[in-house]
Amino acid sequence: MTERTQEKDARQEREPFLEACVRYLDSSPVCFDVPAHKMGGIVTDLADYSGKQVFKADFNAPIGLDNLYHPRGVIKEAEDLAAEAFQADKALFSVNGTTGGILTIMLSILRPKDKIILPRNVHKSVINGLILSGATPVFVSPDCDPNTGISNGVAYETYLRAMEENHDAKAVFVLNPTYFGIVSDLKRIVEAAHAKDMVVMCDEAHGSHFAFSNKMPISAMEAGADITTMSVHKTGGSLTQSSLILCKKGRIDISRVERAFAMLSSTSPNHILLASLDAARKYLYFHGREKIEENIELANYARKEISKIPGLSVLDSSYCDRSARFNMDLTKLVIEVSGLGITGFEVRDILKRDYNIQLELAEISEVLAIVGLGSKKEDINRLVYALSDLSKKRYSSGINIDLPHFNYEYPTLVVRPREAYNAPCKIVPLEDALGEISAESIMIYPPGIPICIPGEMVSKNALELVEFYLKNGGVLLSDSSEGYIKVIDQQQWYKSSDIDIDL
């Protein structure tokens, strides 16, 4: 957890970028730069939703507000404060979400054919990072809950075995946490990787609050990881799409990170999003510990009440095994609903339609509700009431939904993702895809974890899972039309002179 001192408190009181934005807005400049609305000179129907102020605060890159990709003024000051607050040596403000952050850190550290050890339940952005970088993945299998199908963390021993078998790997990638709030033994993984001179990079999309409470799992920077990226908007209070990239000096070339960041980012970053990062950092620093503890109390209250409802149960700290389920974020409510005789997808839809409650995501047998900084006890009470009412209507002793076989084996990777992405391809019906090499990612969203990725052999297990999700209301994302998949046209591919299947 971030340690506070009087001197640090005095520095963290400042919001240099936000303050500069306010000064510029208050000066009422005459604008001959973009954007075209000229700080609200005209407004569209959006003003009926957001108010005219959003137009006034939407300016591009005026003098005095620094340059995001070569910061020397207020952006640099704001990023330096963020680095201090999150225990990093360097921070970069991002308006491309953690998706952009993932692509940045992978492209900055990995070169074509570099090996990276990573869990198979990574977000789709990591697969895209493999395509862009040309790196060779060495996948390690996460713990898969046989009762719910949830992919959790990866055991330290599994990572260690992969490191020993791939001593030439450049990097190790760790989820901290998974979408459902589960973390691996990050500190030990970092120590083992560093002993073998491997870089450790993390996806902390859902962990921006970890640094501010000792009741949360350890943050990547505190654990000694070299680089991480996090969605401050998800759990830290900034506006949607705003994220941070955090770096430790020593094992990575920070200038290369900055170059990759500039290459992948918009040259017209939204200043409202950047200002929201500046403000969220200050809020987390001064109020994070108190609010996170309140959130945990609310979440535990919800667990207690929901667990009384017939047909429902909620994951708690007893779910952790100090291995692949090393620890968990207790502000995430993973609610098992199969005892109601309906799927998580149906529960999600019913709660929104009949009770106006929006959940984070649904899976086959569970739903996820996130207790965040702005959550209130009355919100929890509404959720408990809705679930109780739904149970009265749906619960019948002994009736459960038919769950798929969750002893899932991921498809075999036979071609590097970049090669598969660029290979000649064809589109075939799913029923004809068994044994073909996928040229695209197929995933259920959210959370966006691919069932099959470019370069993997399409397996019977993968096809059965796709069929099951489609049948039960899952949202399937792919490049092809529903019921079809893009695969490598092997006849054309083998004729190619630049074929490369060297893993």
Side-chain angles (χ1 to χ4, degrees), residues 376-394:
K376 301 176 179 63
K377 189 169 184 179
E378 50 262 40
D379 301 333
I380 301 296
N381 287 335
R382 281 188 60 181
L383 175 63
V384 170
Y385 167 78
L387 291 171
S388 178
D389 195 47
L390 180 59
S391 174
K392 292 174 183 176
K393 297 173 181 176
R394 296 282 186 156

Side-chain angles (χ1 to χ4, degrees), residues 183-489:
V183 299
S184 304
D185 190 352
L186 181 57
K187 191 170 178 60
R188 287 182 74 200
I189 293 167
V190 169
E191 291 170 352
H194 285 172
K196 298 178 183 300
D197 200 29
M198 297 177 187
V199 172
V200 179
M201 56 179 79
C202 293
D203 174 353
E204 285 191 299
H206 291 268
S208 66
H209 55 316
F210 284 5
F212 300 93
S213 173
N214 56 14
K215 295 188 177 180
M216 284 287 111
I218 193 171
S219 72
M221 292 291 97
E222 188 177 358
D226 301 290
I227 191 165
T228 188
T229 180
M230 57 181 57
S231 299
V232 183
H233 67 91
K234 283 186 168 74
T235 58
S238 66
L239 296 181
T240 296
Q241 204 172 311
S242 56
S243 294
L244 282 176
I245 298 170
L246 302 174
C247 310
K248 290 277 192 185
K249 294 177 180 176
R251 289 181 175 80
I252 62 173
D253 181 350
I254 291 179
S255 66
R256 186 174 170 88
V257 176
E258 292 170 329
R259 292 201 306 275
F261 174 61
M263 181 169 64
L264 293 168
S265 302
S266 169
T267 55
S268 300
N270 187 297
H271 283 46
I272 300 174
L273 300 184
L274 296 177
S276 80
L277 284 168
D278 201 13
R281 177 269 312 159
K282 178 181 175 180
Y283 184 90
L284 283 170
Y285 181 84
F286 287 104
H287 306 290
R289 179 174 181 172
E290 172 190 354
K291 290 301 296 183
I292 291 167
E293 289 186 3
E294 289 178 9
N295 290 161
I296 293 172
E297 288 179 9
L298 282 176
N300 285 337
Y301 164 69
R303 284 185 179 87
K304 179 181 177 182
E305 296 303 312
I306 294 171
S307 295
K308 298 174 183 176
I309 300 172
L312 300 179
S313 62
V314 193
L315 296 190
D316 58 24
S317 56
S318 66
Y319 188 71
C320 301
D321 60 5
R322 307 305 287 178
S323 181
R325 308 172 190 176
F326 185 75
N327 200 355
M328 69 182 295
D329 176 357
L330 289 172
T331 64
K332 295 210 170 190
L333 297 173
V334 183
I335 306 168
E336 226 286 346
V337 300
S338 60
L340 297 181
I342 53 179
T343 69
F345 300 116
E346 292 174 285
V347 170
R348 173 199 60 193
D349 294 345
I350 291 170
L351 288 187
K352 181 63 180 72
R353 184 190 67 225
D354 297 345
Y355 304 93
N356 200 23
I357 291 174
Q358 180 65 56
L359 296 173
E360 173 63 18
L361 67 79
E363 259 288 355
I364 296 299
S365 62
E366 58 276 331
V367 294
L368 173 63
I370 297 177
V371 180
L373 298 177
S375 295
K376 301 176 179 63
K377 189 169 184 179
E378 50 262 40
D379 301 333
I380 301 296
N381 287 335
R382 281 188 60 181
L383 175 63
V384 170
Y385 167 78
L387 291 171
S388 178
D389 195 47
L390 180 59
S391 174
K392 292 174 183 176
K393 297 173 181 176
R394 296 282 186 156
Y395 176 72
S396 180
S397 180
I399 296 180
N400 287 272
I401 60 170
D402 292 327
L403 297 176
H405 178 59
F406 282 131
N407 185 21
Y408 185 64
E409 295 180 2
Y410 291 105
T412 302
L413 186 76
V414 294
V415 181
R416 280 190 301 139
R418 175 189 269 186
E419 298 301 324
Y421 179 82
N422 289 315
C425 61
K426 60 184 180 180
I427 296 175
V428 301
L430 281 169
E431 60 264 26
D432 297 334
L434 183 64
E436 298 281 359
I437 302 173
S438 178
E440 65 171 314
S441 290
I442 294 182
M443 68 201 75
I444 302 297
Y445 189 85
I449 298 167
I451 293 172
C452 192
I453 70 169
E456 285 183 337
M457 190 82 73
V458 180
S459 66
K460 181 181 178 182
N461 201 324
L463 293 174
E464 289 175 347
L465 204 55
V466 168
E467 181 182 1
F468 183 86
Y469 274 110
L470 288 175
K471 179 182 176 182
N472 287 279
V475 178
L476 193 71
L477 297 185
S478 70
D479 296 339
S480 309
S481 302
E482 188 171 304
Y484 292 83
I485 182 174
K486 187 182 294 183
V487 299
I488 291 178
D489 186 334

